[in-house]
Amino acid sequence: MSTAKPEIIDAAAQLPVAYMRRLDPIPERSLYVARPGLRAMPSGSLIMAGCFMLQLWTLSFLLWAMWWPTPQTPRLLAFAIGGTVTIALLVLLVALLLMRRFPGFVLGVARAPFIRLTVTDRRVVWSLPWHRHPLMEIGRERILGGILGAVDGKGRGNAAMILIHGDPAADVDGNIHFDHLPQVEQFVAALAR
């Protein structure tokens, strides 16, 4: 049985196609980078913070009523300490219930001001400064473009990123919505193909 010998081409031979090294990376260009900060908080966060502040005010009034004037007898001191511990345990219980029942919402609200949005020529990336890996990444092949919404005098406004039909990251309309982005016109321009 005869075996075929491979043809070995001389290194000096002229190849019909241009030579290109696949190991030389093409650098990724950043087209838009933004960290919206506190304005990236979900809508309704201010109302929730107001309700939270009212609860804190009520709790501070209860603690003030227990500790002022300073308890003079051991029975009053035991009542003040017991009441303070009970209130602290109830606050901790409510916080734990919220974190157990809605962990994604609580985590999302907590890290929303720190998320950095980057649009490059290859992808759109949501990242946090203390994570090595991005929170979410969408390749340019999944993006059709962007829509500009209302813009204020400082260039901050709303926009939507249009994704291909059936993309799992999109909402029912096939978009991802952004509120209060700085330099929102540059963001929409960076999404254009």
Side-chain angles (χ1 to χ4, degrees), residues 63-97:
L63 290 173
W64 173 79
M66 283 189 276
W67 287 96
W68 190 86
T70 306
Q72 301 296 322
T73 64
R75 188 173 178 202
L76 288 175
L77 184 62
F79 172 77
I81 291 173
T84 303
V85 169
T86 302
I87 288 174
L89 288 176
L90 287 174
V91 167
L92 185 62
L93 177 68
V94 168
L96 287 175
L97 284 175

Side-chain angles (χ1 to χ4, degrees), residues 123-178:
R123 59 194 174 147
V124 176
V125 180
W126 288 260
S127 59
L128 288 170
W130 57 84
H131 278 207
R132 285 187 308 160
H133 303 290
L135 295 172
M136 189 163 104
E137 179 178 324
I138 295 179
R140 290 301 286 230
E141 67 277 358
R142 295 168 52 190
I143 300 171
L144 296 177
I147 303 171
L148 184 63
V151 181
D152 65 7
K154 296 179 180 178
R156 191 176 285 273
N158 304 332
M161 181 168 52
I162 305 169
L163 299 178
I164 61 173
H165 179 69
D167 195 289
D171 63 1
V172 223
D173 300 325
N175 302 327
I176 295 179
H177 297 274
F178 300 90

Side-chain angles (χ1 to χ4, degrees), residues 46-116:
L46 191 60
I47 293 171
M48 291 300 294
C51 292
F52 181 69
M53 295 304 287
L54 284 174
Q55 296 295 324
L56 282 180
W57 182 73
T58 305
L59 288 175
S60 64
F61 178 74
L62 285 172
L63 290 173
W64 173 79
M66 283 189 276
W67 287 96
W68 190 86
T70 306
Q72 301 296 322
T73 64
R75 188 173 178 202
L76 288 175
L77 184 62
F79 172 77
I81 291 173
T84 303
V85 169
T86 302
I87 288 174
L89 288 176
L90 287 174
V91 167
L92 185 62
L93 177 68
V94 168
L96 287 175
L97 284 175
L98 280 174
M99 285 190 278
R100 281 187 57 106
R101 187 136 175 125
F102 308 106
F105 175 75
V106 173
L107 189 61
V109 168
R111 56 185 187 188
F114 305 103
I115 292 177
R116 183 177 62 223

Side-chain angles (χ1 to χ4, degrees), residues 3 82 120 146 165 184:
T3 59
T120 69
H165 179 69
V184 69

